[in-house]
Amino acid sequence: MAFRSAVITFPGSNCDRDMAVALEKVSGEACTRVWHGDSDLPEGLDFIALPGGFSYGDYLRCGAIASRSPIMQAVIAAADKGVPVLGVCNGFQVLTESGLLPGALLRNSVIRFVCRDVTLKVENATSLFTSGYSAGQEISIPVAHHDGNYFADDATLDRLEGEGQVAFRYAEDINGSARAIAGVLNAKGNVLGMMPHPERAIEDTHGGSDGRALFESAIKSLIGA
């Protein structure tokens, strides 16, 4: 069974090629590139990725305009049907703005762009994205963002933690995120948003491969199913 994935490109995306290459290298299958102005997704997709970048120049709010792009109605419909959706960095911002994930991404508390490798702690190792890790495992993944400060009210944060929807947590304060949250799952576990870039950590020659297990986990879960 072939693995069928798609990466959405918005005006201002700059990590869409990185994401497509990561998916192709790990799965061995070509990744479809979808333009934000399209109204439909290819049929039979197993996986959808929203990449990092600065969609629409981050005008209004990061991800706000992209979340209203024509293709997002199809992405939301696919997610509602159970299709896995991964949003990284700006993609995470788009997921919160579109309502697929709770919370919001605010300006970093340090008020500067943060670009370096960071240590993450795996909080949930049972989702289709994270089953290749162990609970409590520490991994190194690069970040590159100016607006990665995750915010939600206390009731939402309590619910996320109580229901196992916190996927990753920063091992140290990187951007002021509430409860050091770096990645969040939806209630069904098929949508993951995270600020760190796993697609930039799939090969040792690029500085590390701790992100590879995320893609391998998803592919194994989907093909096995």
Side-chain angles (χ1 to χ4, degrees), residues 101-161:
L101 289 175
L105 283 307
L106 309 180
R107 185 64 48 86
N108 294 346
S109 60
V110 292
I111 317 297
R112 66 174 181 268
F113 191 85
V114 178
C115 183
R116 64 183 176 90
D117 290 346
V118 301
T119 300
L120 303 180
K121 180 182 178 183
V122 179
E123 292 292 331
N124 179 331
T126 63
S127 77
L128 69 89
F129 301 99
T130 59
S131 60
Y133 300 110
S134 301
Q137 180 180 349
E138 292 192 343
I139 60 176
S140 179
I141 304 288
V143 297
H145 59 253
H146 195 264
D147 297 79
N149 180 356
Y150 183 75
F151 173 83
D153 61 45
D154 286 339
T156 299
L157 293 171
D158 289 343
R159 175 173 56 81
L160 292 174
E161 295 199 299

Side-chain angles (χ1 to χ4, degrees), residues 8 10 19 48-52 72 75 85-88 91-92 94-95:
I8 312 299
F10 301 96
M19 183 67 76
I48 301 167
L50 277 59
M72 285 306 299
V75 172
V85 178
L86 170 66
V88 171
F92 187 8
V94 175
L95 291 177

